[in-house]
Amino acid sequence: MRPSSFRYHKAESVDHALELLARFGEDGRPLAGGQSLVPMMNLRLAAPEHLVDIGGLPLTDIAFTDTAMRVGALVRHRQYLAEPRVAHHFPALHEAVTWIGHPTIRENGTTGGSLSHADPTAELALAAMLYDAVMIVRNTAGERRIAAADFFEDAYVTALQPGEMLVAAEFPLPPVGAAGAFVEFAERRGDFAIAAIGVSITVADGRIATAAIACSGAEPRPIRAPEIEMMLSGRPLTDPQSRAAGRRLAAAIDPVGTFLTTADYRKALIGELTARAIDTACARAASR
Amino acid sequence: MTIDITLTVNGTARTVRVEPRRLLADVLRHDFALSGVHVGCAHGACGCCTVHVDGTPRLACLTFAVQCDGKAIHTVESLGGVDATHPLQQAFSIEHGLQCGYCTPGFLMTLAPFVDAMVAERRVPEDAEIREAMSGNICRCTGYHGIVAAVRRAVTEQIETGSAQP
Amino acid sequence: MTSADRRHQIGGADRPRHIGARVRRVEDRRLLSGAARYLDDIRQPGMLHLGFVRAQAAHARITDIDTSALADLGAEIRVFTGQDTSGLTIKAPAGHDPKSAALPDGHQGYWRMQDSEQPLLADGVVRFVGEPIAAVLAEDAYVAEDAAERIAVAYEALPVVATMAQAQDPSIPPIFAGWTSNVYIERQMAGGDLAAARAAAAHVIRRTYYNQRQAGVPMEGRGVVAAYDPADRVLTVWSSTQIPHLVRTYLAEELGFPESRLRVVAPEVGGGFGVKGQVFVEEVLVAWLALKTGRPVKWVEDRREHLVASIHARDHLHTLTAYVAADGRLLGLEADITVDVGAYSTFPFTAGGDPGMAAKVLPGPYDIPAYAATFRALATNKCPLGTYRGVARPSAVFSQERLMDDIAAEIGMDPIELRLRNVVRTFPYKNALGFSYDEGSYAQALERVRDLVAEDRAAARASRASATTRIGVGVACFIEQSSHGTPDFTRRRVPIETGYIAARVTMEPDGEVTVDIGLQNHGQGHETVMAQVAADALGVAPENVHVRQGDTLTTPYSVGTWGSRGGPLGGGAVHEAALKIAAKLKAIAAHLLQTDASRIALHGGRAVVIGNEGSYVEIRRLARIALRNVDQMPAGMEPGLEAQCSLDGPADGTYSNAVHAAVVEIDIATGKLRLRRFVVVEDCGTILNPLIVDGQVRGGVVQGIGSALLEHFIYDEDGQPLTTSFADYLMPLAPEIPNIEVHHIETPTPRTPLGAKGLGEGGAIGPPAAIANAVADALGVPVSATPLNANTLWTLAADIRAAAETDRDG
Ligand SMILES: Cc1cc2nc3c(=O)[nH]c(=O)nc-3n(C[C@H](O)[C@H](O)[C@H](O)COP(=O)(O)OP(=O)(O)OC[C@H]3O[C@@H](n4cnc5c(N)ncnc54)[C@H](O)[C@@H]3O)c2cc1C
Ligand code: FES
Ligand code: FES
């Protein structure tokens, strides 16, 4: 359980990193927190020839504008928890981050790494889908902006091309008063989820105005549930009919079983978590 | 290909020549002869190899030594010396928070900053909070009970002795 | 006799000061500071690193081993295959000669066992994924791994035996040449009149139970270093093992190397739990390679190797039939026990160890007049089964205690009441198989637990109305035989052969004490406990006692640490050896003080005249006299202060008892289980050090919780392992585990010198049964298998969900 040989390059700046990544193409990979890449290398499931260490680059800020939150690619998971505006604007994101691994993983893992690694049940990927985040991707030629929905293509597959690097994720600010909830189910605290649901709602006159629901565990990437979102809008906070929404989502998905969980179980779990997440979000909105 | 890197380990800077693929855990164990860095899984899932890099807990099995060039690293050896005098180490012994000891350095390095933070806040954490703080560390021997008690004791005692001071 | 009385007897007139005290562990300092040296800290000049090419097919003929890709690695690599090591194997010959004397009735003799031999490196055929095929030696561990990765093995598939059913299917060929079936052994044991029980029974209750395959997973994996010193022709082998002397004997016999020139050292060992209690192919191979190459060789197991290729545990299928009287009394019990023990029989407990043990212990704490069992061990293309904490007893107790609850449900009796009606109450007790139990506190422990969980049981009943959350309480009542003596192994005819533990106690001229003991500490705190025991016998402080173990050079021959024997037998041996020295110290003191030795007591570092504390000699002065100023000794007394004791266990061992209770809360919609409480009432005889006893119990319980809920080593239908990292092989983490409540009853046994019984394994034995019973209680359904993960619990809760739906819709 030790990695194969590789060449190591320390990026001195973002441009330097992009140059190096352009030079190595398919054979090069960014190394950020190393919390996903290094285990794979130790297990010899990955053996990149060149590692471009971007860990020291100054992409470490969570910045707010009037319309968006911009999270640098090297923001550590823990930073979300230390920034009160995250919990204020993006309660489901804040809650999601508490579910990522363990304290030491959260100290060292990065946003860019998590989103680029694209584990099917990664909490940040789900939150990016939920809040319609936009991935800011650069290569030596320039910048692309990719909607989360287009970014996550499959398990561990994203729209990133060789030579490209994620520099930030931009989360548009939800309207004031938006409420949210994130619920996850894993066999043990800190494990990657079997399933998770994020809910974000806006409220008008004691009713859900708009709803967003994102789900992991149903497909090899996080998904949104547009029909359920439609169903919810206009429902009173006191009776969102969350059970029906959960059942409807469960009926619509077709997860695959693994050697640890059956497809039926995942379906049922997603239905249940959906109902609970909706209830929690509505209760929070109502208690304001 | 090898690279010269300078690590300040437990307060002493030294330059070593390493292959980029060498894991920090191996370099600390072999080049720096620090037997307190243990490897329990080499895939990030047990916490045995936890050290501090620039003051932050980090898994030495998920870190290449070259990433730490110019950084300060602390291992369990720096905590309370050969007599293990750190309050958390003492509490581990009193509460029987260790049996075979293999996981112990990792728990200590994970929990020492947590204990410090609690003492700074002058707050004795709930058991659930302590357990969450150690959720990335596996102990196969103790059933965690003694470790939880040790953390509680270390925090409580330090708050008490702190409050005794003017 | 109470334990306090018993303690008063220890050391004659001397009151024990240290035994029974909550003494902090002496081993902690080096473990906490990072100074402790484990196997991977052993380094030798010129050392080569060993990497393995391991089988990727479960059952196949090797058609080619291609090493050509090593050429461009740019490093010197040596490769060894089964051709180089042919003839060297792990063998565990067992069983009685069928022509020899009849087996003692009811005992665990292994009759007509089909033996298997595991070659050090595969001998043309691989029989499980992970079996070593080739060994590569390189100057660096990273390069050894590179080299192993580059060696390509071609296979020709053979029929895979992946299940118990396949192993018993006569149309599938045996996995070993010359075998008649894939059954290592099948045998019966019986006692009492089962026909009478059958005839008298008001209820006949038959159930099948299963415990999954799992791994032991000490946090330090295995590892071996070997170095040959041509100067004095000594081969030293360091191994992360629990059984250094047994490894030495095995190496001597297998390599034809004189045992007097072999030294086996177990350095600091990072957990074992029985896993490191077998002799492994890797140990023999590393030693052989060091001799072959003339260079020191090191192998440190990685986690994947550990999970797929050390040893596994459990994988037990039991069908029990209980014959029960109308009043709930058990009249008879029948058991059919099948264990999938994988591809090879392990040394020294063999493939028969697990099923035989299950068959032997199933009567448990209950007074059952008639019992009959059939047990069998099946060979499959999986990792061999070996000893892991509890060895078969977690499964036996799971079946027995699930059965008790199933009986209670069937006849409508309270499960604790049913147990109270059946537990043994008069001691010593001879069970249907002829095993004799020493004093225990079975009923008392049950009653204690009944009181402790009374409120939880009320809460459980109250939760029956809930469609969302159910609470359940389950108990497991069991005994644990330990401290088995040689006769127990002779009966079984397994290569362990004997069961004694030896200790040598030496007082040095300065009065300091050295204890050399044939145990091997890997977390049990032996250094502390043995120091307490020696200190009490010799009247010194534990700090004055240096305990050494794990090194065959310094320690007397013994069978190592396993089977919960360290306290009762190791402690007993230290006690007896120290008493011999104490007697000599007293004689010298009596001579100096001109009194009779019987009037001398040793304590506080002094030999004191009883009743006249002012009249004393410092023990250190006595030591100096015995070793240096021998002219001051009584005439004719031999100089020196060294004594040894080899203590064998009693023929039938000792029987610890415990009752575990689990209180669970289950989320009906998700299957999430929360352990609200876990309560232990246990009796391990004299408590030598309560700190350590509690630690052993709690650690064991949490491993047992892992067995009950999470840990599952899974193979697919082709014999491919699926849970090969900690991402899939799930062990308990701190947040899922409650504080474990431990209560003690102390019933010292007359069968060991200090009254102590075994304790190390008990914690792990009860939880699968207690938790399964709690789940059955919570959900109102029978539970027949583990692990009870969320998915499984969700499935078990289906009826509750359906009922709630009906309520809502109707
Ligand atoms: C025990 C354990 C438990 C964990 N549990 C969870 C969990 O519950 N939930 C969860 O979400 N995660 C979990 N993780 C993973 C953790 O969150 C990682 O930090 C994260 O997935 C990757 O971040 P990183 O910075 O460590 O990336 P790295 O490991 O450095 O990189 C991951 C991948 O992304 C690429 N990459 C990194 N940065 C960029 C970039 N800026 N642009 C383009 N590509 C990039 C790398 O080349 C690599 O392919 C766990 C990890 C461990 C070891
Ligand atoms: S060894 Fe680093 S986490 Fe297990
Ligand atoms: S003390 Fe042995 S693993 Fe924790």
Coordinates of all heavy atoms in Angstrom, one line a residue, chain C residues 521-589:
Chain C
N521 N 2.4 -10.0 25.7 CA 1.4 -8.9 26.0 C 1.1 -8.2 24.7 O 2.0 -7.8 23.9 CB 2.1 -7.9 26.9 CG 1.3 -6.8 27.4 OD1 0.0 -6.9 27.3 ND2 1.9 -5.7 27.8
H522 N -0.2 -8.0 24.4 CA -0.5 -7.1 23.3 C -1.7 -6.2 23.7 O -2.6 -6.1 22.9 CB -0.7 -7.9 22.0 CG -1.5 -9.1 22.1 ND1 -0.9 -10.3 22.7 CD2 -2.7 -9.4 21.8 CE1 -1.9 -11.2 22.7 NE2 -3.0 -10.7 22.2
G523 N -1.6 -5.7 24.9 CA -2.6 -4.8 25.3 C -3.3 -5.2 26.6 O -4.0 -4.4 27.2
Q524 N -3.0 -6.4 27.1 CA -3.7 -6.9 28.2 C -3.2 -6.4 29.5 O -3.7 -6.7 30.6 CB -3.7 -8.5 28.2 CG -4.4 -9.1 27.1 CD -3.4 -9.3 25.9 OE1 -2.4 -8.7 25.8 NE2 -3.8 -10.2 25.0
G525 N -2.0 -5.7 29.5 CA -1.5 -5.1 30.7 C -0.8 -6.2 31.6 O -0.7 -6.0 32.8
H526 N -0.2 -7.2 31.0 CA 0.4 -8.3 31.7 C 1.6 -7.7 32.6 O 1.8 -8.2 33.7 CB 1.1 -9.3 30.8 CG 0.1 -10.1 30.1 ND1 0.3 -10.7 28.9 CD2 -1.2 -10.5 30.4 CE1 -0.7 -11.4 28.5 NE2 -1.7 -11.2 29.4
E527 N 2.3 -6.7 32.1 CA 3.4 -6.2 32.8 C 3.0 -5.7 34.1 O 3.7 -5.8 35.1 CB 4.1 -5.1 32.0 CG 5.0 -5.7 30.9 CD 5.4 -4.6 29.9 OE1 6.1 -3.7 30.3 OE2 4.9 -4.7 28.8
T528 N 1.8 -5.0 34.1 CA 1.3 -4.4 35.4 C 0.8 -5.5 36.3 O 1.2 -5.6 37.5 CB 0.2 -3.5 35.0 OG1 0.7 -2.6 34.0 CG2 -0.3 -2.7 36.2
V529 N 0.0 -6.4 35.7 CA -0.7 -7.4 36.6 C 0.4 -8.4 37.2 O 0.3 -8.7 38.4 CB -1.7 -8.2 35.8 CG1 -2.3 -9.4 36.6 CG2 -2.8 -7.3 35.4
M530 N 1.3 -8.8 36.4 CA 2.3 -9.7 36.9 C 3.2 -9.1 37.9 O 3.6 -9.7 38.9 CB 3.2 -10.3 35.7 CG 2.4 -11.0 34.7 SD 1.3 -12.3 35.4 CE 0.0 -12.3 34.2
A531 N 3.4 -7.8 37.7 CA 4.2 -7.0 38.7 C 3.4 -7.0 40.0 O 4.0 -7.1 41.1 CB 4.6 -5.7 38.2
Q532 N 2.1 -6.8 39.9 CA 1.3 -6.7 41.2 C 1.4 -8.0 41.9 O 1.5 -8.1 43.1 CB -0.2 -6.5 40.8 CG -0.5 -5.1 40.3 CD -1.9 -5.0 39.8 OE1 -2.2 -5.0 38.6 NE2 -2.9 -4.9 40.8
V533 N 1.2 -9.1 41.1 CA 1.2 -10.5 41.7 C 2.6 -10.8 42.4 O 2.6 -11.2 43.5 CB 0.9 -11.5 40.6 CG1 1.1 -12.9 41.2 CG2 -0.5 -11.3 40.1
A534 N 3.7 -10.5 41.6 CA 5.0 -10.8 42.2 C 5.2 -9.9 43.4 O 5.8 -10.3 44.4 CB 6.1 -10.6 41.1
A535 N 4.8 -8.6 43.3 CA 5.1 -7.7 44.4 C 4.4 -8.2 45.7 O 5.0 -8.1 46.8 CB 4.6 -6.3 44.0
D536 N 3.1 -8.7 45.6 CA 2.4 -9.1 46.8 C 3.1 -10.3 47.4 O 3.3 -10.4 48.6 CB 1.0 -9.5 46.4 CG 0.1 -8.3 46.6 OD1 0.5 -7.3 47.1 OD2 -1.1 -8.4 46.2
A537 N 3.6 -11.3 46.5 CA 4.2 -12.5 47.1 C 5.5 -12.2 47.7 O 5.9 -12.8 48.7 CB 4.4 -13.5 46.0
L538 N 6.2 -11.1 47.2 CA 7.6 -10.9 47.7 C 7.7 -9.7 48.6 O 8.8 -9.4 49.1 CB 8.5 -10.6 46.5 CG 8.7 -11.9 45.6 CD1 9.3 -11.5 44.3 CD2 9.5 -12.9 46.3
G539 N 6.5 -9.0 48.9 CA 6.6 -7.9 49.8 C 7.3 -6.7 49.3 O 7.8 -5.9 50.1
V540 N 7.4 -6.5 48.0 CA 8.0 -5.3 47.4 C 6.9 -4.5 46.7 O 5.7 -4.9 46.7 CB 9.1 -5.7 46.4 CG1 10.2 -6.5 47.2 CG2 8.6 -6.5 45.3
A541 N 7.3 -3.4 46.1 CA 6.3 -2.6 45.3 C 6.3 -3.1 43.8 O 7.4 -3.5 43.3 CB 6.7 -1.2 45.4
P542 N 5.2 -2.9 43.1 CA 5.2 -3.3 41.7 C 6.3 -2.6 40.9 O 6.8 -3.1 40.0 CB 3.8 -2.9 41.3 CG 3.0 -2.9 42.5 CD 3.9 -2.5 43.6
E543 N 6.6 -1.4 41.3 CA 7.7 -0.6 40.6 C 9.0 -1.3 40.7 O 9.9 -1.1 39.8 CB 7.9 0.8 41.2 CG 6.7 1.7 41.1 CD 5.6 1.4 42.2 OE1 5.9 1.5 43.4 OE2 4.5 1.0 41.9
N544 N 9.2 -2.2 41.6 CA 10.5 -2.9 41.8 C 10.5 -4.2 40.9 O 11.4 -5.0 41.0 CB 10.7 -3.3 43.2 CG 10.8 -2.1 44.1 OD1 10.0 -1.9 45.0 ND2 11.8 -1.2 43.9
V545 N 9.4 -4.4 40.1 CA 9.3 -5.7 39.4 C 9.4 -5.3 37.9 O 8.6 -4.5 37.4 CB 8.0 -6.4 39.7 CG1 8.0 -7.7 38.9 CG2 7.9 -6.6 41.2
H546 N 10.4 -5.9 37.2 CA 10.5 -5.8 35.8 C 10.0 -7.0 35.1 O 10.6 -8.1 35.3 CB 12.0 -5.5 35.4 CG 12.2 -5.3 34.0 ND1 13.5 -5.4 33.4 CD2 11.4 -5.0 33.0 CE1 13.4 -5.2 32.1 NE2 12.1 -5.0 31.8
V547 N 8.9 -6.9 34.3 CA 8.3 -8.1 33.7 C 8.8 -8.1 32.2 O 8.7 -7.1 31.5 CB 6.8 -8.0 33.7 CG1 6.2 -9.2 33.0 CG2 6.3 -7.9 35.2
R548 N 9.3 -9.2 31.8 CA 9.8 -9.4 30.5 C 9.0 -10.5 29.8 O 8.7 -11.6 30.4 CB 11.3 -9.7 30.4 CG 12.1 -8.7 31.1 CD 13.6 -8.9 30.9 NE 14.1 -10.1 31.4 CZ 15.4 -10.4 31.5 NH1 16.3 -9.6 31.1 NH2 15.8 -11.6 32.1
Q549 N 8.7 -10.4 28.6 CA 7.9 -11.4 27.8 C 8.2 -11.2 26.4 O 8.8 -10.3 25.9 CB 6.5 -11.3 28.2 CG 5.9 -9.8 28.0 CD 4.5 -9.7 28.5 OE1 3.8 -10.6 28.7 NE2 4.2 -8.4 28.8
G550 N 7.7 -12.2 25.6 CA 7.8 -12.2 24.2 C 9.1 -12.6 23.5 O 9.1 -12.7 22.3
D551 N 10.1 -12.8 24.3 CA 11.4 -13.1 23.7 C 11.8 -14.5 24.2 O 12.0 -14.8 25.4 CB 12.4 -12.1 24.2 CG 13.8 -12.3 23.5 OD1 14.0 -13.4 22.9 OD2 14.6 -11.4 23.6
T552 N 11.9 -15.5 23.3 CA 12.2 -16.8 23.7 C 13.6 -17.0 24.3 O 13.9 -18.0 24.9 CB 12.1 -17.8 22.5 OG1 13.1 -17.5 21.5 CG2 10.7 -17.8 21.9
L553 N 14.4 -16.0 24.1 CA 15.8 -16.0 24.7 C 15.7 -15.9 26.2 O 16.5 -16.5 26.9 CB 16.6 -14.9 24.1 CG 18.1 -15.0 24.4 CD1 18.8 -16.2 23.7 CD2 18.8 -13.7 24.0
T554 N 14.8 -15.1 26.7 CA 14.7 -14.8 28.1 C 13.6 -15.5 28.8 O 13.6 -15.6 30.0 CB 14.6 -13.3 28.3 OG1 13.5 -12.8 27.6 CG2 15.9 -12.5 27.9
T555 N 12.6 -15.9 28.1 CA 11.4 -16.4 28.8 C 11.3 -17.9 28.7 O 11.7 -18.5 27.7 CB 10.1 -15.8 28.2 OG1 10.0 -16.1 26.8 CG2 10.1 -14.3 28.4
P556 N 10.7 -18.5 29.8 CA 10.6 -19.9 29.7 C 9.5 -20.4 28.8 O 8.6 -19.7 28.5 CB 10.2 -20.3 31.2 CG 9.6 -19.0 31.7 CD 10.3 -17.9 31.0
Y557 N 9.7 -21.6 28.3 CA 8.8 -22.2 27.2 C 7.4 -22.2 27.7 O 7.1 -22.6 28.8 CB 9.3 -23.6 26.9 CG 8.7 -24.0 25.5 CD1 9.5 -23.8 24.4 CD2 7.4 -24.5 25.4 CE1 8.9 -24.2 23.1 CE2 6.9 -24.9 24.2 CZ 7.7 -24.7 23.0 OH 7.1 -25.0 21.8
S558 N 6.5 -21.7 26.8 CA 5.1 -21.6 27.1 C 4.3 -21.5 25.8 O 4.9 -21.3 24.8 CB 4.7 -20.4 27.9 OG 5.4 -20.3 29.2
V559 N 3.0 -21.6 25.9 CA 2.2 -21.6 24.7 C 1.8 -20.2 24.3 O 1.0 -20.0 23.3 CB 1.0 -22.5 24.8 CG1 1.4 -24.0 24.9 CG2 0.2 -22.2 26.1
G560 N 2.2 -19.1 25.0 CA 1.8 -17.8 24.6 C 0.5 -17.3 25.1 O -0.1 -17.9 26.1
T561 N 0.0 -16.2 24.6 CA -1.2 -15.6 25.1 C -2.4 -15.8 24.2 O -2.4 -15.4 23.0 CB -0.9 -14.0 25.2 OG1 0.1 -13.8 26.1 CG2 -2.2 -13.4 25.7
W562 N -3.3 -16.6 24.7 CA -4.6 -16.8 24.0 C -5.5 -17.4 25.0 O -5.1 -17.9 26.0 CB -4.4 -17.7 22.7 CG -3.6 -18.9 23.0 CD1 -2.2 -19.0 22.8 CD2 -4.0 -20.2 23.5 NE1 -1.8 -20.2 23.2 CE2 -2.8 -21.0 23.6 CE3 -5.2 -20.7 23.9 CZ2 -2.9 -22.3 24.1 CZ3 -5.3 -22.0 24.4 CH2 -4.1 -22.8 24.4
G563 N -6.8 -17.5 24.6 CA -7.7 -18.2 25.4 C -8.0 -17.7 26.8 O -8.3 -18.4 27.7
S564 N -7.8 -16.4 27.0 CA -8.1 -15.8 28.3 C -7.4 -16.5 29.4 O -8.0 -16.8 30.5 CB -9.6 -15.8 28.6 OG -10.3 -15.3 27.5
R565 N -6.1 -16.8 29.2 CA -5.4 -17.6 30.2 C -4.3 -16.8 31.0 O -3.8 -17.3 32.0 CB -4.7 -18.7 29.5 CG -5.7 -19.6 28.7 CD -5.1 -20.2 27.5 NE -3.8 -20.9 27.8 CZ -3.8 -22.1 28.3 NH1 -4.8 -22.8 28.5 NH2 -2.6 -22.7 28.6
G566 N -4.0 -15.6 30.5 CA -2.9 -14.8 31.1 C -3.1 -14.6 32.6 O -2.2 -14.8 33.3
G567 N -4.3 -14.1 33.0 CA -4.5 -13.8 34.4 C -4.4 -15.0 35.2 O -3.6 -15.2 36.1
P568 N -5.4 -16.0 35.0 CA -5.4 -17.2 35.8 C -4.2 -18.0 35.8 O -3.7 -18.4 36.9 CB -6.6 -17.9 35.3 CG -7.0 -17.3 34.0 CD -6.5 -15.9 34.0
L569 N -3.6 -18.3 34.6 CA -2.5 -19.2 34.6 C -1.2 -18.5 34.7 O -0.3 -18.8 35.4 CB -2.5 -20.1 33.3 CG -3.8 -21.0 33.3 CD1 -3.7 -22.0 32.1 CD2 -3.9 -21.9 34.5
G570 N -1.0 -17.4 33.9 CA 0.2 -16.6 34.0 C 0.4 -16.0 35.3 O 1.4 -16.1 36.0
G571 N -0.7 -15.4 35.8 CA -0.7 -14.8 37.2 C -0.4 -15.9 38.2 O 0.4 -15.7 39.1
G572 N -1.0 -17.0 38.0 CA -0.8 -18.1 39.0 C 0.6 -18.6 39.0 O 1.2 -18.9 40.0
A573 N 1.2 -18.7 37.8 CA 2.6 -19.2 37.7 C 3.6 -18.2 38.3 O 4.5 -18.6 39.0 CB 3.0 -19.4 36.2
V574 N 3.3 -16.9 38.1 CA 4.2 -15.9 38.8 C 4.0 -16.0 40.3 O 5.0 -16.0 41.0 CB 3.8 -14.5 38.3 CG1 4.5 -13.4 39.1 CG2 4.1 -14.3 36.8
H575 N 2.8 -16.1 40.7 CA 2.5 -16.2 42.1 C 3.3 -17.4 42.8 O 4.0 -17.3 43.8 CB 1.0 -16.4 42.3 CG 0.6 -16.6 43.8 ND1 0.7 -15.6 44.7 CD2 0.1 -17.7 44.4 CE1 0.2 -16.0 45.9 NE2 -0.1 -17.3 45.7
E576 N 3.2 -18.6 42.1 CA 3.8 -19.8 42.7 C 5.3 -19.7 42.7 O 6.0 -20.0 43.6 CB 3.3 -21.0 41.9 CG 1.8 -21.2 41.9 CD 1.3 -21.9 43.1 OE1 2.1 -22.8 43.7 OE2 0.2 -21.6 43.6
A577 N 5.8 -19.1 41.6 CA 7.3 -19.0 41.5 C 7.8 -18.0 42.5 O 8.8 -18.2 43.2 CB 7.7 -18.6 40.1
A578 N 7.1 -16.9 42.7 CA 7.5 -15.9 43.6 C 7.4 -16.4 45.1 O 8.2 -16.1 45.9 CB 6.6 -14.6 43.5
L579 N 6.4 -17.3 45.3 CA 6.3 -17.8 46.7 C 7.5 -18.7 47.0 O 7.9 -18.7 48.2 CB 5.0 -18.7 46.8 CG 3.7 -17.9 46.9 CD1 2.6 -18.9 47.2 CD2 3.8 -16.9 48.1
K580 N 8.1 -19.3 46.0 CA 9.3 -20.1 46.3 C 10.4 -19.2 46.7 O 11.2 -19.5 47.7 CB 9.7 -20.9 45.0 CG 8.7 -22.0 44.6 CD 9.3 -22.8 43.4 CE 8.1 -23.5 42.7 NZ 8.6 -24.2 41.4
I581 N 10.5 -18.1 46.1 CA 11.6 -17.1 46.5 C 11.2 -16.5 47.9 O 12.1 -16.4 48.7 CB 11.7 -16.0 45.5 CG1 12.2 -16.7 44.2 CG2 12.7 -14.9 45.9 CD1 12.4 -15.7 43.0
A582 N 10.0 -16.3 48.1 CA 9.5 -15.7 49.3 C 9.9 -16.6 50.5 O 10.4 -16.2 51.5 CB 8.0 -15.4 49.3
A583 N 9.7 -17.9 50.2 CA 10.0 -18.9 51.3 C 11.5 -18.8 51.6 O 11.9 -18.9 52.8 CB 9.7 -20.3 50.8
K584 N 12.3 -18.6 50.6 CA 13.8 -18.6 50.8 C 14.1 -17.3 51.6 O 15.0 -17.3 52.5 CB 14.5 -18.7 49.5 CG 15.9 -19.1 49.6 CD 16.4 -19.7 48.2 CE 17.9 -20.0 48.3 NZ 18.4 -20.4 47.0
L585 N 13.5 -16.2 51.2 CA 13.8 -14.9 51.8 C 13.4 -15.0 53.3 O 14.1 -14.6 54.2 CB 13.0 -13.8 51.2 CG 13.4 -13.4 49.8 CD1 12.3 -12.4 49.2 CD2 14.8 -12.8 49.7
K586 N 12.3 -15.7 53.6 CA 11.8 -15.8 54.9 C 12.8 -16.7 55.7 O 13.1 -16.4 56.9 CB 10.4 -16.4 55.0 CG 9.3 -15.5 54.5 CD 8.0 -16.2 54.6 CE 6.9 -15.2 54.0 NZ 5.6 -15.9 54.0
A587 N 13.3 -17.7 55.1 CA 14.2 -18.6 55.8 C 15.5 -17.8 56.2 O 16.0 -17.9 57.3 CB 14.6 -19.8 54.9
I588 N 16.0 -17.0 55.2 CA 17.2 -16.2 55.5 C 16.9 -15.2 56.6 O 17.7 -15.0 57.6 CB 17.7 -15.5 54.3 CG1 18.0 -16.6 53.2 CG2 19.0 -14.7 54.6 CD1 18.3 -16.0 51.8
A589 N 15.8 -14.6 56.5 CA 15.4 -13.6 57.5 C 15.3 -14.2 58.9 O 15.7 -13.6 59.9 CB 14.1 -12.9 57.1

